[in-house]
Amino acid sequence: MKRLQSISATAVASQRKLLIPYLVAGDPEADHTLALMHEVVRQGADIIELGFPFSDPASDGPVIQQGIERALASKMHLGDTLDLVRQFRKQDQQTGIVLMGYLNPIEIMGYEAFVNSAAEVGVDGVLIVDMPPTESGSLHVSLRAAGIDTIYLLAPTTDPERAAAIADHCSGYLYYVSLKGVTGAALTDQESVAQNIDTLRQLTDLPIVIGFGIKDAASACAMAGLSDGIIIGSALVSRIGELAGKETVSAADLRSTCEIIGIARTAIDSLN
């Protein structure tokens, strides 16, 4: 059983909602990311979405764009991101790792080299924001052959036919975007989210997790109550940005930065 599948099965068996933080590899500096990855696990993360920086993150709001700019300034690239996963796996073989980003850096590395490296270091899933299922072609096939899940975004504006195609291609989990807009926008329409999640349940048996707009215990509970789990991105990346410029980052700094994950873990566990 693949790692994401095992994590999801364990969560279902224990009636536990999945908690998935997103952070940018190399933000604010390359040396900090590995420590942050381990800290979010200590705070209760089941899976980590690790963003690899790209100079034109069109789907991301200002907070994550700033995180990506900090990562690029620290000279982080896709190869370095894969090496971070390699280092993480020396201590943690349980937590799921999903690489998230844009297609251009993968094309530069080459599909075969990327897939081989991702499998070798212990990547469990890949989410390419600008790679729809109809255009995934050989990369999707290669990832599947390597045992790596391909995860797709599904938006409120996605029509039923396209939603069915996305659900058919997806594995690992389905990422539902809770709102119309970029990352970090405010979450306002819970009723439509609930209706759309109900519709998606008819298309897939995969876990459905909700991202965009989740920033505190209240929004975490609201979205976790409608789904199988939540993703916290901008709210965490904003806190990580406060580490920029620090000469040293202490264990206390790491705990304080990532405490939003612990708060969300406690909040969504209270739903059981």
Side-chain angles (χ1 to χ4, degrees):
M1 182 182 292
K2 292 188 289 186
R3 190 157 23 219
L4 294 185
Q5 185 180 3
S6 176
I7 291 168
S8 297
T10 300
V12 169
S14 60
Q15 296 184 319
R16 173 186 171 99
K17 301 290 185 175
L18 296 171
L19 178 55
I20 308 174
Y22 166 91
L23 57 155
V24 181
D27 177 29
E29 296 179 13
D31 292 344
H32 298 333
T33 305
L34 182 61
L36 287 164
M37 291 171 71
H38 287 301
E39 182 59 31
V40 295
V41 173
R42 283 190 285 269
Q43 297 271 1
D46 301 295
I47 298 165
I48 297 171
E49 285 187 349
L50 186 61
F52 52 92
F54 174 55
S55 58
D56 187 22
S59 295
D60 293 301
V63 170
I64 291 180
Q65 286 188 15
Q66 289 164 12
I68 289 171
E69 288 170 4
R70 292 189 295 266
L72 291 171
S74 73
K75 309 301 183 183
M76 177 63 62
H77 55 72
L78 179 54
D80 295 325
T81 303
L82 289 163
D83 190 56
L84 272 173
V85 180
R86 185 195 308 275
Q87 295 178 58
F88 179 81
R89 287 290 180 226
K90 292 177 181 179
Q91 297 183 45
D92 189 323
Q93 293 290 325
Q94 288 75 47
T95 305
I97 298 291
V98 172
L99 295 187
M100 182 173 179
Y102 295 81
L103 187 58
N104 184 268
I106 295 176
E107 291 185 328
I108 291 172
M109 178 178 282
Y111 287 177
E112 182 177 359
F114 170 71
V115 172
N116 289 342
S117 294
E120 191 268 327
V121 302
V123 170
D124 301 298
V126 172
L127 196 169
I128 308 302
V129 177
D130 55 347
M131 187 186 73
T134 53
E135 299 176 14
S136 60
S138 61
L139 180 57
H140 174 74
V141 171
S142 296
L143 288 167
R144 183 171 58 187
I148 298 173
D149 289 309
T150 310
I151 297 159
Y152 293 96
L153 298 167
L154 204 150
T157 53
T158 305
D159 65 55
E161 183 177 352
R162 182 174 175 80
I166 291 172
D168 185 56
H169 276 75
C170 194
S171 60
Y173 56 85
L174 186 62
Y175 186 139
Y176 179 75
V177 176
S178 62
L179 47 83
K180 302 172 185 176
V182 295
T183 56
L187 180 61
T188 59
D189 190 358
Q190 295 183 28
E191 183 177 349
S192 67
V193 173
Q195 292 172 350
N196 289 336
I197 294 294
D198 286 344
T199 300
L200 291 176
R201 296 284 189 202
Q202 310 305 313
L203 300 177
T204 183
D205 293 327
L206 290 172
I208 300 173
V209 300
I210 298 177
F212 287 41
I214 300 172
K215 60 182 180 179
D216 52 26
S219 54
C221 282
M223 294 298 101
L226 302 176
S227 66
D228 300 300
I230 57 170
I231 298 164
I232 297 178
S234 294
L236 176 60
V237 174
S238 177
R239 288 169 173 261
I240 291 172
E242 296 174 8
L243 299 176
K246 281 183 173 285
E247 291 187 7
T248 59
V249 175
S250 67
D253 290 330
L254 292 171
R255 287 194 299 271
S256 176
T257 298
C258 300
E259 68 179 355
I260 186 172
I261 303 304
I263 290 169
R265 179 80 270 167
T266 299
I268 63 178
D269 283 351
S270 70
L271 296 172
N272 293 340

